Amino acid sequence: MTTNLPSGYHRDLQLLKVHLFPAFKTLKDCIEMTGLMLSNVEIKKDILSTQSGWVKEIKTRDLGLILIELGGGRKQVTDKINFNVGYDQVLRVGDKVDTSTPLLTVYTNSEDDYENVRKKIEDCFIIADTEVSALPYTYEVIN
């Protein structure tokens, strides 16, 4: 657009710059927004059961420590919490599962994070061959 211009004042360029410079600002804003969106990407994946049966036990402490590893909790008071990571649709003790049943849905910031925790999360669920009674929602009401 600016090739072959004589040095000095060029009327067409002066008329174009009114439209051209705001377009560069818009492009810069779009690139910044894309960068912000990519830095906040979250991966949502189901972690499937590796065997059929009933959920006998869940190692909830280990699940909590894995969540801290992902950034969803603090190791130290000064650590920031990443609100983009977490669990959803976690099965309960006594739920029937097969190899197509999600144990839970995990939210991570990257595929690498997902791959690092997938096996650890699978190991938190103990599956029994025989039916297991569901745990009560409430054990005791305190007045």
Short mmCIF file of all heavy atoms in Angstrom, two decimals, residues 1 11-24:
data_model
loop_
_atom_site.label_atom_id
_atom_site.label_comp_id
_atom_site.label_asym_id
_atom_site.label_seq_id
_atom_site.Cartn_x
_atom_site.Cartn_y
_atom_site.Cartn_z
N MET A 1 0.83 -1.18 0.00
CA MET A 1 0.00 0.00 0.00
C MET A 1 0.87 1.25 0.00
O MET A 1 0.50 2.24 -0.60
CB MET A 1 -0.91 -0.03 1.23
CG MET A 1 -1.78 1.17 1.33
SD MET A 1 -3.23 0.94 2.33
CE MET A 1 -2.60 1.04 3.93
N ARG A 11 -1.01 12.71 -0.23
CA ARG A 11 -2.40 12.98 0.14
C ARG A 11 -3.19 11.70 0.40
O ARG A 11 -3.93 11.59 1.38
CB ARG A 11 -3.08 13.80 -0.96
CG ARG A 11 -4.50 14.15 -0.61
CD ARG A 11 -5.12 15.03 -1.73
NE ARG A 11 -6.47 15.42 -1.37
CZ ARG A 11 -7.54 14.65 -1.50
NH1 ARG A 11 -7.42 13.44 -1.98
NH2 ARG A 11 -8.74 15.08 -1.15
N ASP A 12 -3.06 10.68 -0.47
CA ASP A 12 -3.82 9.44 -0.30
C ASP A 12 -3.46 8.74 1.02
O ASP A 12 -4.33 8.21 1.70
CB ASP A 12 -3.58 8.49 -1.47
CG ASP A 12 -4.21 8.99 -2.76
OD1 ASP A 12 -5.11 9.84 -2.67
OD2 ASP A 12 -3.81 8.53 -3.83
N LEU A 13 -2.17 8.74 1.37
CA LEU A 13 -1.75 8.13 2.63
C LEU A 13 -2.34 8.89 3.82
O LEU A 13 -2.76 8.29 4.80
CB LEU A 13 -0.23 8.08 2.73
CG LEU A 13 0.32 7.39 3.97
CD1 LEU A 13 -0.18 5.95 4.07
CD2 LEU A 13 1.84 7.42 3.98
N GLN A 14 -2.38 10.21 3.72
CA GLN A 14 -2.96 11.00 4.81
C GLN A 14 -4.45 10.68 4.98
O GLN A 14 -4.94 10.62 6.11
CB GLN A 14 -2.76 12.51 4.53
CG GLN A 14 -1.32 12.95 4.50
CD GLN A 14 -0.61 12.67 5.80
OE1 GLN A 14 -1.16 12.86 6.87
NE2 GLN A 14 0.62 12.17 5.71
N LEU A 15 -5.15 10.45 3.89
CA LEU A 15 -6.57 10.11 3.97
C LEU A 15 -6.78 8.69 4.50
O LEU A 15 -7.73 8.41 5.23
CB LEU A 15 -7.23 10.27 2.60
CG LEU A 15 -7.31 11.69 2.04
CD1 LEU A 15 -7.83 11.68 0.61
CD2 LEU A 15 -8.17 12.57 2.93
N LEU A 16 -5.87 7.77 4.13
CA LEU A 16 -5.99 6.37 4.55
C LEU A 16 -5.66 6.16 6.03
O LEU A 16 -6.20 5.28 6.66
CB LEU A 16 -5.06 5.50 3.72
CG LEU A 16 -5.60 5.02 2.39
CD1 LEU A 16 -4.52 4.25 1.65
CD2 LEU A 16 -6.81 4.14 2.58
N LYS A 17 -4.75 6.95 6.57
CA LYS A 17 -4.28 6.68 7.93
C LYS A 17 -5.40 6.81 8.96
O LYS A 17 -5.35 6.17 10.00
CB LYS A 17 -3.09 7.55 8.29
CG LYS A 17 -3.40 8.99 8.60
CD LYS A 17 -2.14 9.72 8.99
CE LYS A 17 -2.47 11.16 9.36
NZ LYS A 17 -1.28 11.92 9.66
N VAL A 18 -6.42 7.59 8.65
CA VAL A 18 -7.55 7.73 9.58
C VAL A 18 -8.23 6.37 9.78
O VAL A 18 -8.69 6.05 10.87
CB VAL A 18 -8.56 8.76 9.03
CG1 VAL A 18 -9.80 8.82 9.87
CG2 VAL A 18 -7.91 10.12 8.90
N HIS A 19 -8.26 5.55 8.73
CA HIS A 19 -8.89 4.23 8.82
C HIS A 19 -7.88 3.13 9.14
O HIS A 19 -8.23 2.12 9.75
CB HIS A 19 -9.59 3.91 7.50
CG HIS A 19 -10.61 4.94 7.11
ND1 HIS A 19 -11.82 5.07 7.75
CD2 HIS A 19 -10.58 5.92 6.16
CE1 HIS A 19 -12.50 6.07 7.22
NE2 HIS A 19 -11.78 6.60 6.25
N LEU A 20 -6.65 3.34 8.72
CA LEU A 20 -5.64 2.31 8.86
C LEU A 20 -5.17 2.13 10.30
O LEU A 20 -5.08 1.01 10.80
CB LEU A 20 -4.45 2.65 7.96
CG LEU A 20 -3.39 1.58 7.78
CD1 LEU A 20 -3.99 0.34 7.16
CD2 LEU A 20 -2.26 2.11 6.92
N PHE A 21 -4.88 3.20 11.00
CA PHE A 21 -4.35 3.10 12.36
C PHE A 21 -5.34 2.47 13.34
O PHE A 21 -4.94 1.63 14.15
CB PHE A 21 -3.83 4.45 12.85
CG PHE A 21 -2.60 4.92 12.11
CD1 PHE A 21 -2.36 6.26 11.91
CD2 PHE A 21 -1.70 4.01 11.59
CE1 PHE A 21 -1.24 6.68 11.23
CE2 PHE A 21 -0.57 4.43 10.90
CZ PHE A 21 -0.34 5.78 10.71
N PRO A 22 -6.63 2.83 13.31
CA PRO A 22 -7.57 2.12 14.19
C PRO A 22 -7.66 0.62 13.88
O PRO A 22 -7.88 -0.19 14.77
CB PRO A 22 -8.91 2.81 13.94
CG PRO A 22 -8.55 4.17 13.46
CD PRO A 22 -7.28 3.97 12.67
N ALA A 23 -7.46 0.25 12.62
CA ALA A 23 -7.51 -1.17 12.25
C ALA A 23 -6.35 -1.92 12.91
O ALA A 23 -6.51 -3.06 13.36
CB ALA A 23 -7.46 -1.34 10.74
N PHE A 24 -5.17 -1.30 12.98
CA PHE A 24 -4.04 -1.93 13.66
C PHE A 24 -4.31 -2.10 15.15
O PHE A 24 -3.95 -3.10 15.75
CB PHE A 24 -2.75 -1.12 13.46
CG PHE A 24 -2.15 -1.29 12.09
CD1 PHE A 24 -1.84 -0.18 11.33
CD2 PHE A 24 -1.88 -2.54 11.58
CE1 PHE A 24 -1.28 -0.32 10.07
CE2 PHE A 24 -1.33 -2.70 10.32
CZ PHE A 24 -1.02 -1.57 9.56
#
